[in-house]
Amino acid sequence: MQFSSAARATFLATLSVALSTSTARAFVRTPQHNHAVRRAIGSTAASSASCLNSKRKRELALLTEASKHHWFSSSNGSFLSVRGGSTALFSSATDTSTSTVVEEETSQKENEEPKEIFRSSYRPLPYVVSHVNMNFDIRDGETVVTTDLTVRPNAKATSFHGEAGDDGNSNDLILDGEAEALELLSIALNGKELIKDMDFRIEGDALIVPSALLPPLAEGVESGDQQSVLITTKVKIVPETNTQLSGLYKSGSMYCTQCEAMGFRRITYYPDRPDNMAIFEKVRIEADKKILPRPPWKR
């Protein structure tokens, strides 16, 4: 995708000033400052759009989308990266694949239709998670997250079991995730490992456990007293390459988490809805001391 010089110049105006100062590299060192840079860019793009014609507005929108991937095209054909909280210049002559990747990702996002969710479509979850235990095993280049979910039937659910309820919706347990961030290593029900496409399935970003494997709803019994099962998932994530500032990501030597609004589904599979309030009983973090030495004040 080629952008007009006017759109490119408008978009890069604020960023160029910031990066031309002696404090530029420090300015984009932290995730908070990355957010500030992106907000400033968004503000500049929005205020400038009113004076551009429709074609240039579209170009500016595409450039703004490209900024979410932390790539900015400069006037001399090079690309400025602020991935991971640091800056670097890459020549388009030596890294032409970068522009192609950004263009393809932008084009794909343009073609994706946003999913509309209506309040009238709300339906209580057939199953809820009441308690959570997690273990983070931080390794060099990857992190393995093991999660224990205590799952119970939801007494507020309107119907149970069968392929679908009275309203046509499935009663299966749906755990939200994000396919590009999570690699499922295993899933077990009460200690018994489940087999993909037989005992569970993955559809898009969701991990689905059929209701036939889960306890039925006991009529007249509150959710907290329903029969429960333990679902254990083990996933692999890569904080070192996570540049979305969402989920678990690494900035410099520091590991950071951002779970709202939907960042938690980039860490593990979970019914990521505000009407499922669970108790997190224990969260354990382990790592190799050679990778993450103790900070000076704890030595």
Side-chain angles (χ1 to χ4, degrees), residues 157-297:
T158 55
S159 61
F160 257 82
H161 279 303
E163 288 300 320
D166 297 336
D167 54 4
N169 291 314
S170 171
N171 291 308
D172 297 338
L173 172 66
I174 299 177
L175 301 177
D176 300 306
E178 193 163 314
E180 71 171 11
L182 304 177
E183 179 184 341
L184 181 65
L185 302 178
S186 66
I187 176 173
L189 176 65
N190 289 336
K192 180 181 178 181
E193 188 165 349
L194 302 183
I195 301 174
K196 186 176 181 181
D197 297 329
M198 292 181 60
D199 301 321
F200 75 94
R201 65 186 187 276
I202 294 179
E203 294 183 0
D205 293 326
L207 188 158
I208 302 173
V209 180
S211 60
L213 298 180
L214 304 173
L217 174 68
E219 297 292 342
V221 180
E222 293 296 325
S223 296
D225 297 324
Q226 296 282 343
Q227 179 185 355
S228 65
V229 294
L230 183 67
I231 293 180
T232 302
T233 61
K234 182 179 288 188
V235 302
K236 182 174 74 173
I237 58 178
V238 186
E240 291 80 1
T241 60
N242 179 5
T243 60
Q244 290 195 15
L245 305 183
S246 178
L248 175 63
Y249 61 93
K250 189 175 184 182
S251 178
S253 62
M254 179 173 61
Y255 284 82
C256 312
T257 58
Q258 174 61 46
C259 296
E260 295 293 345
M262 297 192 296
F264 190 64
R265 63 184 66 191
R266 293 178 58 82
I267 296 176
T268 190
Y269 287 102
Y270 184 80
D272 197 9
R273 286 174 39 160
D275 58 348
N276 189 154
M277 304 295 287
I279 298 173
F280 283 72
E281 296 181 307
K282 181 175 68 175
V283 176
R284 181 177 179 272
I285 302 174
E286 62 176 287
D288 189 337
K289 288 183 178 181
K290 296 179 181 179
I291 302 172
L292 291 177
R294 298 176 66 187
W297 61 87

Side-chain angles (χ1 to χ4, degrees), residues 113-172:
E113 290 293 334
K115 182 180 179 181
E116 294 182 327
I117 301 176
F118 298 97
R119 185 176 181 180
S120 59
S121 302
Y122 171 78
R123 175 177 178 262
L125 291 166
Y127 295 92
V128 292
V129 173
S130 60
H131 295 78
V132 181
N133 289 277
M134 301 184 72
N135 184 83
F136 290 80
D137 182 3
I138 300 176
R139 307 171 183 178
D140 189 12
E142 66 180 37
T143 295
V144 176
V145 183
T146 304
T147 307
D148 291 330
L149 303 176
T150 301
V151 178
R152 291 187 170 95
N154 184 6
K156 297 180 180 179
T158 55
S159 61
F160 257 82
H161 279 303
E163 288 300 320
D166 297 336
D167 54 4
N169 291 314
S170 171
N171 291 308
D172 297 338

Side-chain angles (χ1 to χ4, degrees), residues 94-109:
T94 58
D95 191 6
T96 55
S97 61
T98 301
S99 60
T100 304
V101 170
V102 172
E103 290 168 9
E104 289 179 352
E105 289 181 353
T106 303
S107 177
Q108 290 175 359
K109 288 185 176 294

